[in-house]
Amino acid sequence: MKTVLGVDAELHCNSALRLLQRLDFVDEERHLVHVEQQKPPKSGPPDVRARGGAVAEIGNGAVDSLLTVHAMSLSSAETHLLEGNPALRLMEFGDSVHAGLIAVTGTRDGSSAFIMGSVSRALIIRAQQSVLIAKGHVAEKGRLTAVFATDHSPYASQCLRVLLDMEPQGLADVTVLSAI
């Protein structure tokens, strides 16, 4: 399975990374993607960047720090640097590599972000892939317990099939919750 991990400049992505590591998907191909937001020029002609939004190797300090901290577990991960709107570019990249999952750490960044940040919200609404949003501190080790809430609809059954197809080896228990 192919996963995309959104790497933010502040390295909040560590929580999502830890969840991915603990879920321990079979044959996971992980892509670390950092998206630099394009800022409008203060004055004068438009800012033309050499990369022009194309995928390039990540070379910024934040991502280099992440790779150094997690060197052992991320040695096989592919790293990419994109430019533009973070949510949109993560979705486009996920589509381009046929990813099954996009993982980010949800942060509140702004007054309009009541429960989660704008990138997380956009991914939930528009991504064609499954979305993993980590919140808060995530321990580095141990098997996970999950709650699967269902309304017994065909969509919920499809979601369960997708989860099972991902083959997470790190789930110790899954509680199925239903309200009648």
Side-chain angles (χ1 to χ4, degrees), residues 4-26:
V4 173
L5 173 65
V7 178
D8 58 309
E10 294 81 23
L11 295 182
H12 294 124
C13 58
N14 283 323
S15 295
L17 174 61
R18 285 187 184 129
L19 271 179
L20 284 176
Q21 290 169 326
R22 289 179 61 196
L23 282 165
D24 189 21
F25 294 116
V26 172

Side-chain angles (χ1 to χ4, degrees), residues 61-103:
V63 178
D64 288 343
S65 296
L66 176 72
L67 293 174
T68 300
V69 170
H70 300 286
M72 297 296 285
S73 61
L74 297 176
S75 59
S76 63
E78 294 186 30
T79 60
H80 309 273
L81 175 63
L82 307 175
E83 291 180 344
N85 176 288
L88 181 60
R89 297 298 283 157
L90 285 170
M91 288 184 276
E92 289 171 349
F93 183 83
D95 290 342
S96 74
V97 296
H98 306 288
L101 180 70
I102 297 176

Side-chain angles (χ1 to χ4, degrees), residues 26-179:
V26 172
D27 297 325
E28 180 186 3
E29 178 184 310
R30 189 173 298 155
H31 296 268
L32 290 100
V33 179
H34 175 72
V35 181
E36 290 182 357
Q37 287 190 344
Q38 292 174 325
K39 295 182 171 92
K42 294 178 182 172
S43 64
D47 182 18
V48 178
R49 296 181 183 242
R51 289 186 296 268
V55 175
E57 288 302 306
I58 291 178
N60 74 10
V63 178
D64 288 343
S65 296
L66 176 72
L67 293 174
T68 300
V69 170
H70 300 286
M72 297 296 285
S73 61
L74 297 176
S75 59
S76 63
E78 294 186 30
T79 60
H80 309 273
L81 175 63
L82 307 175
E83 291 180 344
N85 176 288
L88 181 60
R89 297 298 283 157
L90 285 170
M91 288 184 276
E92 289 171 349
F93 183 83
D95 290 342
S96 74
V97 296
H98 306 288
L101 180 70
I102 297 176
V104 296
T105 298
T107 58
R108 288 186 56 204
D109 56 353
S111 60
S112 65
F114 177 64
I115 296 174
M116 67 190 80
S118 58
V119 173
S120 301
R121 184 176 185 278
L123 289 171
I124 288 172
I125 293 170
R126 297 180 53 204
Q128 298 299 307
Q129 300 81 6
S130 296
V131 178
L132 178 147
I133 299 175
K135 297 276 296 171
H137 175 74
V138 174
E140 291 184 39
K141 295 182 181 179
R143 293 176 51 91
L144 295 166
T145 301
V147 175
F148 182 81
T150 181
D151 60 359
H152 302 285
S153 67
Y155 179 74
S157 296
Q158 179 184 2
C159 290
L160 181 58
R161 278 192 293 279
V162 168
L163 174 63
L164 295 175
D165 287 346
M166 290 180 179
E167 299 182 66
Q169 303 301 296
L171 284 178
D173 294 300
V174 177
T175 300
V176 178
L177 178 65
S178 179

